[in-house]
């Protein structure tokens, strides 16, 4: 609906409150409920929102190294604008109207820290090159029969999974929680996040969902909303969902794979597919893959943004560790799927479920476009067999500190995203690393307390 249709809808249905949210640098939705008149007044200009949301971490702790905002600036308001094209109603909250927002500005002076604004800028570059980017993200996550209060009381130990044991692709296990399982599928669809599939993965209480593909910005919108929507639907069933990349050292991690393809502008021709080429891979697809592989070591924090991300990126854990690609091989960083034109795509397997969809998808698209702009040659051969041992073309950073340092010093990252964004983002990741290394872990206590 356009603006006038939305205003008419709100008046005709006597709607008195509207909810909106935007994604911060960690991919956490921050937002408000506002009254009808406030909503109407802000449409012509913007809404003031305290810019502390760009100056603190996921636990609301202010950064000590920030430049975007901080005590030095007094944390003023920044103008946030609703994207009316994202209008939907929340079916589990009495169909309250909902909008996504960002800090893009009409004059083009976007807030560099805003992830959605960054993706919109990359998407515009893609369109200017003559391409339509079609994307989708899929997620794995664990479910527990807990509450936020019980998590705190248990100190996050001895948690009760929704179902026991390892049972991937089970038809039996979901029947134990059929109301929750079907609510996920049905309510997400009503919330304009239709799923291609939903099933159990291997691990106690773990599900995987594939979101239906869409235009790149709408795909990221759906992905960011998916993670919060799943948590909210889970709450209604006495369940807590976690999208940590690796919540337990003895269980598989949780991926956030990104599926990506480029089409012509009218979406009639998949530009990655070529019947007359080896493996049906077009020259454009090869350049796209070459760009992603070339840029990957420079921008890894965009796909793996937390300390925990790197606990998933280990050998033999269904997540990549090497700069590799292949045709239908789940041990490499990039996996080509191209049995027919409609579904030909490149699956980026580095991203975890803890990723910020806007940043992960922006990184994937920008690095692929980099390969096309620079006409890179795909000189890395396809991996055959075990991609974990195929290390001659590079390995992924081992931890967030190593990855952040590489990105902060990378001219490639600056070319892709601009110096302001790279400076802000890497400062936040440096902060995250310093919070981690200052802590004393249970492992250290058990290992050293008595005998060292």
């Amino acid at each position: 609906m356009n603006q006038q249709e939305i205003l008419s809808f709100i008046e005709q249905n006597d709607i008195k409150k509207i909810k909106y949210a935007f994604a911060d640098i960690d991919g956490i939705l921050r937002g408000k409920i506002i009254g009808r008149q406030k909503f109407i007044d802000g449409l012509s200009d913007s809404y003031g929102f305290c810019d502390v949301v760009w100056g603190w971490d996921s636990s609301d702790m202010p950064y000590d190294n920030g430049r975007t905002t901080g005590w030095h600036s007094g944390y003023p308001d920044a103008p946030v604008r609703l994207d009316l094209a994202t209008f939907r109603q929340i079916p589990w909250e009495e169909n309250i109207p909902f909008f996504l927002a960002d800090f893009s500005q009409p004059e083009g002076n976007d807030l560099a820290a805003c992830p959605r604004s960054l993706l919109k800028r990359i998407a515009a570059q893609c369109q200017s090159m003559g391409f339509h980017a079609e994307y989708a993200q899929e997620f794995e996550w664990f479910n527990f029969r807990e509450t936020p209060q019980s998590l705190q009381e248990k100190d996050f130990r001895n948690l009760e999974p929704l179902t026991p044991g390892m049972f991937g692709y089970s038809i039996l296990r979901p029947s134990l929680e059929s109301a929750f399982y079907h609510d996920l599928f049905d309510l997400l669809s009503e919330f304009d996040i239709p799923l291609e599939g939903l099933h159990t993965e291997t691990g106690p209480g773990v599900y995987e969902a594939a979101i239906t593909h869409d235009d790149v910005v709408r795909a990221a919108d759906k992905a960011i909303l998916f993670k919060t929507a799943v948590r909210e639907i889970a709450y209604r069933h006495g369940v807590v969902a976690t999208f940590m990349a690796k919540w337990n050292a003895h269980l598989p991690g949780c991926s956030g794979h990104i599926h990506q393809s480029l089409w012509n502008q009218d979406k009639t021709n998949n530009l990655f597919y070529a019947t007359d080429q080896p493996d049906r891979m077009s020259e454009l697809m090869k350049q796209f893959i070459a760009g992603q592989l070339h840029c990957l070591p420079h921008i890894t924090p965009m796909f793996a943004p937390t300390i925990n991300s790197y606990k998933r990126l280990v050998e033999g854990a269904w997540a990549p560790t090497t700069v590799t690609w292949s045709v239908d091989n789940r041990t490499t960083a990039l996996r080509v799927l191209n049995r027919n034109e409609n579904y030909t795509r490149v699956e980026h397997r580095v991203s975890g479920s803890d990723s910020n969809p806007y940043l992960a998808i922006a990184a994937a698209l920008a690095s692929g476009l980099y390969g096309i702009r620079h006409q890179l040659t795909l000189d890395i051969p396809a991996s055959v067999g075990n991609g974990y041992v195929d290390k001659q073309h590079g390995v992924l950073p081992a931890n967030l500190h190593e990855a952040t340092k590489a990105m902060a010093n990378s001219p490639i990252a600056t070319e892709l995203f601009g110096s302001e964004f790279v400076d802000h983002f890497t400062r936040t990741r440096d902060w995250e690393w310093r919070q981690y290394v200052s802590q004393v872990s249970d492992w250290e206590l058990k290992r050293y307390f008595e005998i060292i």
Side-chain angles (χ1 to χ4, degrees):
M1 292 191 285
N2 60 34
Q3 179 171 324
Q4 188 53 52
E5 290 170 332
I6 289 171
L7 291 174
S8 297
F9 174 84
I10 287 173
E11 181 179 354
Q12 291 168 6
N13 291 277
D14 194 26
I15 292 170
K16 295 181 171 61
K17 57 187 178 182
I18 293 92
K19 192 172 187 178
Y20 77 88
F22 57 87
D24 70 10
I25 202 70
D26 288 293
I28 299 166
L29 287 181
R30 309 275 187 172
K32 297 180 180 180
I33 287 179
I34 55 176
R36 175 165 59 184
Q37 193 58 50
K38 176 76 170 180
F39 169 74
I40 294 170
D41 292 344
L43 291 179
S44 59
D45 183 16
S46 62
Y47 307 87
F49 208 103
C50 179
D51 77 356
V52 71
V53 293
W54 308 112
W56 64 19
D57 65 12
S58 58
S59 297
D60 295 1
M61 291 291 293
Y63 301 127
D64 64 6
N65 61 347
R67 286 182 178 171
T68 300
T69 190
W71 300 117
H72 62 278
S73 64
Y75 295 114
D77 277 356
V80 63
R81 287 177 166 80
L82 307 190
D83 185 339
L84 297 186
T86 66
F87 170 68
R88 64 229 313 134
Q89 294 175 270
I90 307 175
W92 57 90
E93 286 190 13
E94 301 176 343
N95 282 318
I96 181 173
F98 177 87
F99 297 88
L100 279 167
D102 59 48
F103 289 75
S104 304
Q105 306 305 324
E107 62 276 12
N109 298 319
D110 299 348
L111 182 70
C114 178
R116 190 172 191 266
S117 298
L118 176 69
L119 177 59
K120 287 165 66 176
R121 189 163 72 249
I122 303 300
Q125 293 173 9
C126 181
Q127 188 172 28
S128 71
M129 294 172 68
F131 308 128
H132 167 82
E134 194 78 3
Y135 270 65
Q137 196 161 9
E138 60 177 280
F139 291 101
E140 298 166 349
W141 76 97
F142 281 80
N143 300 283
F144 297 90
R145 207 178 304 280
E146 302 287 350
T147 66
Q149 291 75 21
S150 70
L151 293 176
Q152 296 291 333
E153 291 166 359
K154 291 182 173 184
D155 200 21
F156 296 89
R157 295 184 177 89
N158 301 316
L159 305 181
E160 181 183 352
L162 186 64
T163 54
M166 312 289 276
F167 204 166
Y169 303 105
S170 171
I171 295 298
L172 181 63
R173 281 288 183 261
S175 66
L176 286 170
E177 303 292 337
S178 60
F180 174 46
Y181 194 71
H182 289 286
D183 260 3
L184 284 172
F185 199 96
D186 297 339
L187 292 177
L188 286 168
S189 180
E190 290 180 43
F191 195 45
D192 193 23
I193 310 176
L195 302 183
E196 286 190 350
L198 174 67
H199 62 86
T200 66
E201 254 295 353
T202 184
V206 60
Y207 287 171
E208 178 178 352
I211 304 172
T212 303
H213 59 86
D214 206 333
D215 166 79
V216 63
V217 176
R218 280 180 50 83
D221 288 342
K222 291 177 179 179
I224 201 83
L225 290 173
F226 173 88
K227 293 173 70 173
T228 294
V230 165
R231 293 185 183 103
E232 292 186 3
I233 295 168
Y235 283 160
R236 294 168 58 85
H237 291 269
V239 173
V240 170
T242 180
F243 288 85
M244 281 185 68
K246 185 89 165 179
W247 84 270
N248 186 302
H250 306 292
L251 294 172
C254 292
S255 70
H257 298 157
I258 301 167
H259 295 261
Q260 43 193 349
S261 59
L262 295 183
W263 296 65
N264 59 348
Q265 292 283 20
D266 61 5
K267 297 184 282 188
T268 58
N269 183 18
N270 188 334
L271 302 179
F272 281 176
Y273 188 78
T275 54
D276 59 345
Q277 295 297 316
D279 289 322
R280 298 180 293 278
M281 294 172 59
S282 70
E283 189 60 32
L284 190 82
M285 179 193 247
K286 293 174 186 176
Q287 292 175 349
F288 189 87
I289 292 172
Q292 292 196 325
L293 294 175
H294 181 74
C295 296
L296 181 54
H298 299 265
I299 58 173
T300 303
M302 305 277 279
F303 303 106
T306 73
I307 299 295
N308 186 249
S309 301
Y310 299 83
K311 306 295 176 69
R312 166 182 166 263
L313 299 174
V314 295
E315 291 188 9
W318 298 99
T321 59
T322 55
V323 180
T324 48
W325 74 277
S326 67
V327 176
D328 201 6
N329 184 327
R330 287 182 169 87
T331 67
T332 57
L334 303 179
R335 174 180 172 232
V336 171
L337 295 159
N338 61 347
R339 293 180 182 175
N340 62 65
E341 181 177 358
N342 285 341
Y343 289 97
T344 290
R345 61 199 187 274
V346 179
E347 179 187 40
H348 204 301
R349 296 180 57 81
V350 178
S351 184
S353 62
D354 59 342
S355 61
N356 179 335
Y358 292 120
L359 298 187
I361 291 175
L365 179 58
S367 57
L369 295 178
Y370 178 95
I372 295 171
R373 278 198 307 272
H374 293 273
Q375 296 186 319
L376 297 187
T377 301
L378 184 56
D379 51 11
I380 297 177
S383 293
V384 177
N386 187 352
Y388 293 116
V389 301
D390 195 357
K391 300 178 181 180
Q392 61 266 38
H393 300 288
V395 296
L396 300 182
N399 55 56
L400 183 60
H401 174 65
E402 182 182 322
T404 299
K405 186 177 179 180
M407 183 172 179
N409 296 323
S410 170
I412 288 177
T414 299
E415 178 181 341
L416 294 179
F417 310 118
S419 59
E420 285 188 78
F421 172 80
V422 172
D423 179 72
H424 175 75
F425 180 63
T426 56
R427 284 173 179 271
T428 69
R429 297 311 94 190
D430 176 68
W431 162 270
E432 193 78 7
W433 175 258
R434 287 188 289 116
Q435 303 320 293
Y436 169 68
V437 296
S438 67
Q439 301 301 308
V440 177
S441 67
D442 288 349
W443 183 90
E444 291 169 278
L445 289 173
K446 292 174 182 177
R447 192 169 185 89
Y448 303 132
F449 189 90
E450 180 185 2
I451 62 174
I452 199 69

